[in-house]
Amino acid sequence: KAGVTQTPRYLIKTRGQQVTLSCSPISGHRSVSWYQQTPGQGLQFLFEYFSETQRNKGNFPGRFSGRQFSNSRSEMNVSTLELGDSALYLCASSLDATGVGEKLFFGSGTQLSVL
Amino acid sequence: AQTVTQSQPEMSVQEAETVTLSCTYDTSENNYYLFWYKQPPSRQMILVIRQEAYKQQNATENRFSVNFQKAAKSFSLKISDSQLGDTAMYFCAFAGGTSYGKLTFGQGTILTVHP
């Protein structure tokens, strides 16, 4: 069974631009979560989607948004990029049999650099 | 809010020896889950082990085991017979309540296994 796939692996953007990252979960997984990883702040939760609905959200500004499609694939969008948005963005999927405490399976991430 | 603290930024161990990574957490919730994830240089987060707080028995997965002390809010990871492939960043993480898809991570411990 294929793992979580994130595209692209690397991305370089300039300040003020917007970016869209894509995540395909493991087949059969219905929940998709997004995380930001930086050397200074560590791993921080962005949001979680299940059945095309956002169920949970972290403490990030409205410039960060996401969505989930009917096939469970998810995208996240960052508008008006800032230098501080440079980070590794990780996507994770789970079966969501119980909703909380599920084992999350992560992709290899998208490394975003904002110049 | 939950917090997760890993007090050891770096650890090293000789191949075939045993090493223990420390983690403490703070929460007011009764029902929660604790995890250890490893992140090798490939950047993909890999689940090592999961502990359900209501289970008194410590979780084990082959060479990996935990020492879960609920009253002390301590959750350490023991790696036996360390292998070169265990070299990675290790993260302790917490999930609880209605935190769908959300893990609260510690700052991580870099583990190096020496031949």
Side-chain angles (χ1 to χ4, degrees), chain B residues 58-79:
Chain B
N58 289 324
T60 63
E61 289 285 346
N62 301 313
R63 299 183 293 107
F64 299 88
S65 62
V66 298
N67 182 3
F68 174 46
Q69 301 290 326
K70 191 172 184 177
K73 294 182 177 154
S74 169
F75 183 62
S76 61
L77 175 70
K78 185 172 82 170
I79 306 174

Side-chain angles (χ1 to χ4, degrees), chain B residues 5-78:
Chain B
T5 302
Q6 294 178 248
S7 58
Q8 305 154 315
E10 293 187 47
M11 294 278 286
S12 64
V13 64
Q14 292 296 126
E15 198 174 7
E17 293 188 344
T18 296
V19 64
T20 299
L21 308 183
S22 301
C23 172
T24 57
Y25 61 94
D26 190 24
T27 183
S28 58
E29 300 188 42
N30 291 317
N31 184 30
Y32 54 89
Y33 299 79
L34 295 163
F35 304 79
W36 280 97
Y37 278 86
K38 66 181 279 189
Q39 188 177 39
S42 68
R43 308 179 310 179
Q44 183 173 19
M45 299 281 283
I46 301 166
L47 176 65
V48 175
I49 201 163
R50 181 182 74 164
Q51 175 77 43
E52 295 154 278
Y54 64 86
K55 288 187 176 179
Q56 293 185 340
Q57 186 173 7
N58 289 324
T60 63
E61 289 285 346
N62 301 313
R63 299 183 293 107
F64 299 88
S65 62
V66 298
N67 182 3
F68 174 46
Q69 301 290 326
K70 191 172 184 177
K73 294 182 177 154
S74 169
F75 183 62
S76 61
L77 175 70
K78 185 172 82 170

Side-chain angles (χ1 to χ4, degrees), chain A residues 23-24 30 37 44 50 53 61-62 66 68-69 72-74 77-78 83-84 88-89 91-93 99 107 109-110 113:
Chain A
C23 173
S24 293
R30 302 166 66 190
Q37 185 176 21
Q44 293 185 289
F50 176 78
T53 300
Q68 186 181 35
F69 302 95
S72 294
R73 190 178 70 86
S74 177
N77 184 276
V78 188
L83 295 179
L88 178 66
Y89 290 89
C91 166
S93 73
T110 294
S113 298

Side-chain angles (χ1 to χ4, degrees), chain B residues 59-106:
Chain B
T60 63
E61 289 285 346
N62 301 313
R63 299 183 293 107
F64 299 88
S65 62
V66 298
N67 182 3
F68 174 46
Q69 301 290 326
K70 191 172 184 177
K73 294 182 177 154
S74 169
F75 183 62
S76 61
L77 175 70
K78 185 172 82 170
I79 306 174
S80 303
D81 186 26
S82 296
Q83 301 175 359
L84 297 178
D86 294 334
T87 293
M89 175 84 91
Y90 285 80
F91 292 95
C92 178
F94 173 100
T98 56
S99 298
Y100 298 111
K102 178 182 179 180
L103 293 176
T104 299
F105 286 91

Side-chain angles (χ1 to χ4, degrees), chain A residues 26-103:
Chain A
I26 292 172
S27 177
H29 284 196
R30 302 166 66 190
S31 169
V32 174
S33 304
W34 289 89
Y35 289 81
Q36 182 196 65
Q37 185 176 21
T38 60
Q41 297 298 315
L43 282 149
Q44 293 185 289
F45 172 75
L46 281 155
F47 29 64
E48 186 263 1
Y49 287 87
F50 176 78
S51 291
E52 302 178 64
T53 300
Q54 186 183 88
R55 289 194 304 188
N56 202 0
K57 187 177 187 300
N59 296 322
F60 279 82
R63 299 186 297 108
F64 292 82
S65 62
R67 60 177 175 170
Q68 186 181 35
F69 302 95
S70 58
N71 62 358
S72 294
R73 190 178 70 86
S74 177
E75 290 181 346
M76 69 163 281
N77 184 276
V78 188
S79 62
T80 319
L81 284 166
E82 300 177 359
L83 295 179
D85 297 334
S86 295
L88 178 66
Y89 290 89
L90 292 165
C91 166
S93 73
S94 72
L95 276 171
D96 195 63
T98 60
V100 179
E102 289 282 302
K103 296 179 181 179

